[in-house]
Amino acid sequence: MAGYGENRVVVHGFGRQSDWRGRSGRAYGLVSENLERFAMTDADLYLIAKGNHVLWVGSTGELVADPMSRTRFRLALDCADRAYRLLTPGAAAERLTTIWDLEGAEPAQGMQAA
C-alpha cells in the first residue's frame, strides 16, 4: 500500500491539494477535481462540497449499492461548487469509518498551504 507522500506523486499537478480535518480530528489530504468534468474511479473516495460544507462522501460502490446515497449524490452535484478525491483511501475495512469522519469534515485552516 502506498503511503501518503507516495500518492502525492500520482497527482502530477492536475489538482490542488487541500487538507481537511474529519469529525475525529484526523487530517485528510484531498485533491481538487474539476466539477464540470468530474468522473469517479472504482477505488477512490470522493468528497463533494459547497464551500466548506460537505454534501456527500463516498465512492462508486456506495452509488451502486445504496439508493439513498445515489439520491444524496445527485442533490450534491446540483448545488456543489467543488469536488475532491481522497489521496489515501485506506483499507476497505476502514471505508465506512472514513466516510463517516469526512461527512463532518471541514478545511483544516492551520494546515492550508500558501
Side-chain angles (χ1 to χ4, degrees):
M1 183 170 138
Y4 181 76
E6 293 173 28
N7 272 347
R8 289 178 190 235
V9 174
V10 176
V11 176
H12 296 296
F14 291 116
R16 182 172 165 237
Q17 182 171 337
S18 178
D19 294 313
W20 286 55
R21 189 163 310 278
R23 287 178 174 150
S24 68
R26 179 178 171 193
Y28 294 92
L30 304 173
V31 175
S32 64
E33 298 281 333
N34 184 322
L35 196 57
E36 299 299 318
R37 290 179 271 151
F38 180 64
M40 297 170 61
T41 63
D42 291 338
D44 291 321
L45 280 177
Y46 295 88
L47 182 147
I48 298 175
K50 181 168 184 163
N52 295 337
H53 181 71
V54 176
L55 302 173
W56 181 85
V57 178
S59 67
T60 57
E62 280 73 40
L63 295 178
V64 170
D66 183 12
M68 182 63 79
S69 186
R70 269 193 306 278
T71 301
R72 287 182 58 218
F73 176 77
R74 286 186 198 117
L75 290 171
L77 283 181
D78 284 344
C79 59
D81 60 6
R82 59 196 72 199
Y84 299 94
R85 177 178 41 86
L86 184 62
L87 279 175
T88 54
E94 300 171 1
R95 190 175 204 78
L96 291 178
T97 303
T98 301
I99 290 171
W100 174 85
D101 201 25
L102 283 170
E103 284 176 341
E106 59 187 23
Q109 301 302 335
M111 298 171 63
Q112 295 292 339

